[in-house]
């Protein structure tokens, strides 16, 4: 297989110059749960270092879209590539071929995912939660992985929690550990699935701050959230999904303050009515 | 008369000899069931004929008395022309029945691990083997230690039923001593004390395992 890691001149699957090659390219993705179509021919391209925030009503398909990107949900049509490498399905002519489990796992290792419910491993200390995948998946030496884990813990402000088990941490702390755990795999892109929805309001800020720091560091991010003010602060682009299609996308101020479609306007109005103090 | 210490002192070496057989039988049963029960649990988790087969097996072995299973194995094999020793028949029946119970314990343990844990592992690029050995099984093991300790204690006590097919373990030796000495009460008291010592050792081992493997949930 061609080397697609970083060298723009290599014979990669996608031969566009690195600067113009999207980090994430979703093209024509459709997905149904039984008779219900949740994604309908969705296409989205995310540039390296870009932060895309996905908003939309519950059940609109935004979480499903995120989960398709690392194939936690299978999709029936379309293709997804990360940094030019296909995730889940390859194209051979007009044929769509599912990749082997080994290749899918390797592809997932390049994508960081943070979940709404943290999903830390309860039987491991915080340090081992972060170092486990680099050791077991990438074969990194334990000392190296743990040294890196300590750096990441320092980055999310939890150096003193390395030896604790997740059950001893607050929700906000657990979510910051989950971010560090995803970063430990040196992902090319980070996916955030409503990561503050399960947190007490006073713990939301610390998680958003960690994400902000990451965005400023140039990480490519796709963020599904209900935190509109955070979306405005962090997003390079906001994508509004409803009924499994991208209804509107654009710069935060355009979408949040001057939406072109009634659907977005209605959604924002409902949102504002509910959260006005 | 009850509590004849001299008599108990004479009985003890004989019971300890039987205890050796009991321990052998119990340890082998527990070891085999830990593996066999896991295989059955995995089979039961599959869809289709293998899953039904495993489910049917569990129903049959759980819902018939151990003593009858032991007789069926013991006499069944000898009717088939290749007789198994009492020890082997007893071991087989104990493993058959307890394998069903242990499979259910594993099933409960596996079901207790949230699907989100699997997703978290997969999202980090783990393949099946790594996912199970790193994420799933350590959690399963921690949660099944208490029921597994119970089952081990029950296995130790169940070995007494192999006396019915003439295996010279604690119970059978006790029966022989009852017949020859007519001191029924002291013999069974002595036997009970030996079983108590063995099951206490098993509980202690269970506690130690719990301390080693459990984590704050």
């Amino acid at each position: 297989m061609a080397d697609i890691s970083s060298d723009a001149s290599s014979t990669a699957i996608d031969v566009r110059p690195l600067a113009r090659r999207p980090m994430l390219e979703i093209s024509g993705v459709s997905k149904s749960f039984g008779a219900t179509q949740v994604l309908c021919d969705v296409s989205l391209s995310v540039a390296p270092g870009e932060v895309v925030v996905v908003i939309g009503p519950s059940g609109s398909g935004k979480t499903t879209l995120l989960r398709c990107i690392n194939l936690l949900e299978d999709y029936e049509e379309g293709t997804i590539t990360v940094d030019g490498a296909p995730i889940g399905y390859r194209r051979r002519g007009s044929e769509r071929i599912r990749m082997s489990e080994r290749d899918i796992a390797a592809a997932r290792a390049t994508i960081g995912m943070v979940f709404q419910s943290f999903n830390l491993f309860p039987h491991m200390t915080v340090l081992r939660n972060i170092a486990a995948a680099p050791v077991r998946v990438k074969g990194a030496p334990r000392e190296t992985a743990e040294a890196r884990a300590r750096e990441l813990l320092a980055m999310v402000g939890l150096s003193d929690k390395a030896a604790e088990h997740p059950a001893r941490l607050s929700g906000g702390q657990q979510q910051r550990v989950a971010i560090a755990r995803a970063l430990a795999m040196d992902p090319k892109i980070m996916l955030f699935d409503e990561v503050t929805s399960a947190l007490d309001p006073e713990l939301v800020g610390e998680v958003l701050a960690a994400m902000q720091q990451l965005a400023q560091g140039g990480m490519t991010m796709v963020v599904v959230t209900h935190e509109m003010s955070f979306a405005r602060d962090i997003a390079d682009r906001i994508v509004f999904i409803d009924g499994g299609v991208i209804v509107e996308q654009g710069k935060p101020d355009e979408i949040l303050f001057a939406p072109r479609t009634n659907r977005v306007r209605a959604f924002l109005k409902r949102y504002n009515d509910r959260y006005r103090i | 008369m009850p509590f004849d210490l001299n008599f108990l002192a004479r009985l003890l070496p004989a019971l300890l000899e039987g205890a050796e057989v009991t321990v052998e039988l119990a340890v082998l049963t527990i070891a085999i069931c830990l593996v066999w029960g896991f295989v059955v649990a995995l089979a039961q988790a599959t869809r289709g004929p293998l899953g039904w087969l495993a489910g049917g097996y569990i129903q049959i072995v759980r819902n018939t008395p151990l003593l009858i299973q032991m007789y069926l194995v013991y006499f069944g094999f000898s009717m088939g022309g290749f007789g198994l020793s009492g020890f082997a028949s007893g071991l087989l029946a104990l493993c058959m029945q307890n394998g069903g119970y242990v499979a259910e314990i594993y099933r409960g343990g596996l079901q207790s691990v949230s699907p989100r844990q699997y997703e978290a592992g997969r999202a980090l690029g783990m393949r099946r083997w790594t996912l199970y050995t790193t994420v799933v099984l350590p959690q399963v093991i921690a949660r099944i230690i208490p029921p597994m300790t119970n089952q081990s204690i029950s296995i130790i006590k169940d070995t007494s039923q192999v006396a019915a097919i003439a295996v010279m373990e604690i119970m059978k030796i006790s029966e022989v001593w009852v017949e020859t000495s007519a001191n029924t009460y002291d013999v069974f008291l002595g036997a009970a004390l030996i079983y108590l010592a063995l099951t206490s050792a098993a509980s202690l081992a269970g506690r130690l395992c719990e301390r080693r493997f459990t984590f704050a949930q």
Side-chain angles (χ1 to χ4, degrees):
Chain A
M1 209 181 87
D3 174 22
I4 49 150
S5 52
S6 58
D7 186 357
S9 65
S10 70
T11 48
I13 293 169
D14 188 334
V15 292
R16 278 172 283 181
L18 196 58
R20 266 187 285 146
R21 185 211 295 169
M23 182 55 82
L24 169 69
E25 182 136 53
I26 299 170
S27 48
V29 165
S30 295
K31 152 116 196 131
S32 308
F33 288 119
T36 321
Q37 181 139 27
V38 281
L39 292 176
C40 185
D41 195 20
V42 173
S43 295
L44 179 69
S45 185
V46 180
E50 192 181 13
V51 177
V52 170
V53 171
V54 183
I55 62 171
S58 299
S60 59
K62 52 193 194 302
T63 287
T64 306
L65 178 66
L66 205 66
R67 290 165 59 85
C68 283
I69 295 173
N70 67 0
L71 219 69
L72 286 181
E73 296 290 351
D74 221 326
Y75 48 97
E76 289 103 37
E77 278 169 55
T79 50
I80 296 176
T81 63
V82 167
D83 201 16
I87 306 294
Y89 294 92
R90 292 179 203 291
R91 283 237 171 260
R92 189 184 291 162
S94 61
E95 220 182 339
R96 188 166 165 270
I97 301 160
R98 193 180 159 87
M99 288 158 58
S100 68
E101 287 307 311
R102 174 197 294 264
D103 288 346
I104 289 171
R108 282 187 183 132
T110 68
I111 303 169
M113 174 116 182
V114 184
F115 299 89
Q116 182 177 350
S117 49
F118 331 134
N119 302 1
L120 293 178
F121 305 132
H123 57 297
M124 296 180 186
T125 62
V126 162
L127 192 73
R128 281 211 54 215
N129 258 284
I130 301 170
V135 171
R136 297 298 311 273
V137 176
K138 283 185 161 178
R142 182 167 291 281
E143 303 79 59
T144 319
E146 289 189 350
R148 171 90 175 117
R150 284 183 201 283
E151 281 173 27
L152 290 165
L153 271 181
M155 196 197 96
V156 296
L158 292 171
S159 291
D160 55 330
K161 302 292 183 193
E164 297 282 7
H165 278 76
R168 303 283 303 269
L169 305 186
S170 74
Q173 290 170 334
Q174 290 193 49
Q175 197 58 296
R176 284 186 280 156
V177 172
I179 292 172
R181 178 176 70 174
L183 289 173
M185 292 296 281
D186 292 321
K188 294 176 173 176
I189 182 168
M190 287 282 286
L191 312 176
F192 294 87
D193 183 15
E194 299 191 27
V195 296
T196 57
S197 302
L199 296 178
D200 289 338
E202 72 266 29
L203 302 178
V204 168
E206 60 191 68
V207 173
L208 297 184
M211 291 167 68
Q212 195 117 38
Q213 190 185 348
L214 207 55
Q216 281 157 3
M219 176 61 78
T220 312
M221 293 165 55
V222 181
V223 182
V224 170
T225 187
H226 291 295
E227 300 280 339
M228 293 303 159
S229 60
F230 174 67
R232 194 183 61 196
D233 291 345
I234 199 176
D236 295 312
R237 183 162 36 127
I238 292 183
V239 172
F240 179 87
I241 293 189
D242 193 12
V245 294
I246 294 179
V247 175
E248 196 173 331
Q249 55 179 311
K251 294 218 173 304
D253 286 348
E254 289 167 24
I255 299 291
L256 297 177
F257 300 116
R260 294 185 299 273
T261 58
N262 285 331
R263 253 151 79 187
V264 180
R265 235 169 272 140
F267 171 77
L268 290 172
K269 182 173 184 314
R270 266 203 313 277
Y271 180 86
N272 286 332
D273 288 348
R274 183 167 341 146
Y275 291 96
R276 189 173 296 141
I277 297 170
Chain B
M1 62 173 263
F3 310 123
D4 181 343
L5 287 179
N6 286 330
F7 178 79
L8 282 175
R10 273 186 291 130
L11 173 67
L12 187 66
L15 287 183
L16 287 179
E17 232 168 88
E20 216 173 292
V21 178
T22 297
V23 168
E24 219 173 294
L25 201 54
V27 167
L28 279 172
T29 303
I30 292 165
I32 292 169
C33 284
L34 282 178
V35 178
W36 172 234
F38 190 62
V39 173
V40 175
L42 289 183
Q44 203 196 4
T46 61
R47 289 196 194 126
L50 191 63
W52 305 331
L53 200 68
Y57 161 80
I58 291 171
Q59 286 310 312
I60 291 169
V61 294
R62 276 204 313 186
N63 298 341
T64 52
L66 176 64
L67 192 59
I68 292 179
Q69 289 176 24
M70 232 169 244
Y71 283 141
L72 290 177
V73 170
Y74 186 61
F75 295 114
F77 272 95
S78 50
M79 273 164 60
F82 41 101
L84 282 184
S85 70
F87 186 90
S89 304
L91 180 62
L92 186 56
L94 279 166
C95 288
M96 260 169 47
Q97 179 162 80
N98 287 288
Y101 284 115
V102 170
E104 287 291 277
I105 294 174
Y106 276 121
R107 186 170 68 94
L110 284 165
Q111 281 178 350
S112 78
V113 179
S114 152
R116 291 170 176 166
Q117 290 285 307
Y118 291 80
E119 285 189 350
R122 274 193 222 113
L124 288 163
M126 291 182 187
R127 292 171 63 196
R128 192 185 302 244
W129 173 258
T130 313
L131 183 65
Y132 270 85
T133 53
T134 313
V135 177
V136 179
L137 290 181
Q139 296 188 49
V140 171
I141 290 169
R143 286 176 197 149
I144 65 174
I145 289 171
M148 222 48 117
T149 306
N150 269 341
Q151 198 59 36
S152 302
I153 289 169
S154 158
I155 287 172
I156 292 170
K157 292 184 293 179
D158 276 354
T159 58
S160 63
Q161 298 192 49
V162 301
I165 46 178
V167 179
M168 295 302 279
E169 42 62 76
I170 297 173
M171 190 65 190
K172 185 69 193 167
I173 287 178
S174 304
E175 286 170 3
V176 172
W177 272 69
V178 166
E179 278 166 30
T180 52
S181 71
N183 197 346
T184 313
Y185 194 86
D186 281 359
V187 171
F188 286 128
L189 182 68
L193 290 175
I194 303 273
Y195 278 114
L196 190 63
L198 295 180
T199 51
S200 302
S203 330
L204 183 67
R207 280 286 159 75
L208 293 176
C209 287
E210 265 182 64
R211 206 176 295 169
R212 165 72 182 74
F213 288 103
T214 46
F215 50 88
Q217 309 252 353

